[in-house]
Amino acid sequence: MRSYREPEPGSSRRVVIVGGGMAGTRLAQQLAATAADAADSALEVTIIGEEPHPAYNRVLLAEVLAGRYAPDVIALPAPAAVRRLSGVRVVRLDRDPGEVVCDDGRRVPYDALVLATGSNPVLPPLRGLFEPHGHDLPDGVHAFRTMDDCLALVAAIRPGVRAVVIGGGLLGVSAARALAQRGAQVVLAHQGEHLMERQLDTGAAAMLRQHVAALGVEVHTECRVRGLRTRSVSGERRAVSAVELADGYALDADLVILACGARPRVGLAHAAGLTVARGIVVDDQLRTSDPRIFAIGDCAEHAGILYGLAGPAQDQADTLAHVVGNHAAGRHGWTQPGHRAAPGSETGPRYAGSRTLTRLTLASAASPLDLAAFGETTPAPGDDVVHLADATRNAYRKVVVRGDRLVGGILLGDLGSVGALARTWEGDEPLPSAPLLHLLTNDGGS
């Protein structure tokens, strides 16, 4: 095996980021800015990413699928003075002496290691999804998580193609809308009682369902998928032909999109002996159980919470950039392997969690629809609820108020007011003196 490059003693501090997605790229950008601003800071940053593509905004993959954006439009700016290894997979962490081992035999040493490995799509236990002892999906069956997934779907779509989307969460709704805009005949099958049940109440979900149906998507809720029917195409290859429902009904399908959630990628951390629960467990400085190894983004579990959203991943990257930057600049000493500071003795930036806002735009020439959901949308005893609904205008607005604080909301339709409401909620600020009804029915200063 060959070492990537061994710096001379006393030279740059080596920061290796495993994962070239949004979280890892954001961190690299912030570290590059920190190094540029601090003359006494010397950082050598390397990003190792499995995907061969340049880093991109994963949130906008549905817009590429819909044909609104070309892939290069959603590319993220390349961080300055950062080495990027693309199409390279890390297969092992050697914590002593502090190296990552890549699938091409390369060994990359680090002084600080950041795991930004993201998450994998959940593949449901459907009959016919895999052959016994097989690992390949049938032709026509796709996850929707990466640029390669998106490009494969774009290549397969043609007007009139029969597509079944399994899963009616945020990702499934986005994919169904995008496929319909490409001219596919789309069926959305969701096991839950209503669409996007993690974010929406029944009233908002009903309005969303009407809107999606108006785009040409056939929606089935409380619909459990039992398996896939396939046909032989050549040799041992199979292609999907139908989706079987639990009630025995079959949906003809040329394409099947699996939008059934995601699981954190924790295999490297687990094999290296780091503490793993649902995700890689980190403290308020995003450190794992090894003080030289950090984790951010979808793979990280902080205070028992897995966020799985772009906003918290960016918050974590920004905090960690200050933590690592302070260490590299000598403002705080780099912790040596096997040593951890006493609880409460750490100084410097802290990650205190994130407030998450889900935003979705369903664009169409006839009837565009914006959606935003944030915070606690189910009121507790004593909470006040302001609720406005107008089906003729595709407008639904509900906010939950506790004392003088906005604790959650669901907004559909023209979201001129979401800017002011979201800022008030994210900052945990007292509500303005103007009546809340005014914020729900006017521009609201966004």
Side-chain angles (χ1 to χ4, degrees), residues 140 142 161-167 176 179 185-189 225 228 242-243 245 250-259:
H142 302 266
V161 71
R162 300 166 300 181
V164 177
V165 178
I166 302 175
L179 292 166
Q185 299 177 18
V186 184
V187 176
L188 177 56
V225 174
L228 304 179
V243 172
L245 305 182
L251 302 169
D252 291 339
D254 305 303
L255 289 176
V256 172
I257 295 82
L258 303 174

Side-chain angles (χ1 to χ4, degrees), residues 166-361:
I166 302 175
L170 176 64
L171 184 63
V173 170
S174 300
R177 182 268 304 180
L179 292 166
Q181 289 192 314
R182 288 274 193 170
Q185 299 177 18
V186 184
V187 176
L188 177 56
H190 182 52
Q191 185 169 326
E193 293 184 2
H194 61 257
L195 297 177
M196 292 183 62
E197 54 202 2
R198 290 182 58 185
Q199 294 88 14
L200 304 183
D201 60 13
T202 54
M207 192 168 292
L208 174 62
R209 178 171 182 161
Q210 292 173 4
H211 178 83
V212 171
L215 298 178
V217 177
E218 181 181 330
V219 179
H220 297 271
T221 53
E222 299 183 90
C223 172
R224 188 167 66 87
V225 174
R226 182 172 61 187
L228 304 179
R229 294 179 186 175
T230 60
R231 54 184 173 81
S232 177
V233 287
S234 65
E236 296 183 356
R237 286 178 51 210
R238 301 172 299 137
V240 68
S241 59
V243 172
E244 292 183 350
L245 305 182
D247 61 6
Y249 189 76
L251 302 169
D252 291 339
D254 305 303
L255 289 176
V256 172
I257 295 82
L258 303 174
C260 305
R263 290 194 182 98
R265 297 183 63 180
V266 299
L268 282 173
H270 189 273
L274 302 179
T275 300
V276 174
R278 291 180 301 156
I280 304 169
V281 176
V282 297
D283 64 12
D284 290 350
Q285 291 193 316
L286 291 314
R287 295 174 304 188
T288 69
S289 52
D290 182 327
R292 288 202 298 170
I293 303 179
F294 304 80
I296 58 174
D298 288 6
C299 68
E301 179 177 338
H302 174 263
I305 299 174
L306 282 168
Y307 288 98
L309 295 170
Q314 292 184 340
D315 294 343
Q316 293 169 1
D318 293 349
T319 299
L320 185 54
H322 289 294
V323 170
V324 172
N326 283 348
H327 284 306
R331 288 185 284 272
H332 305 292
W334 284 67
T335 307
Q336 294 303 310
H339 294 80
R340 178 180 285 278
S345 67
E346 304 95 337
T347 58
R350 299 296 199 109
Y351 175 68
S354 295
R355 290 179 164 239
T356 57
L357 183 147
T358 298
R359 189 78 184 261
L360 174 65
T361 297

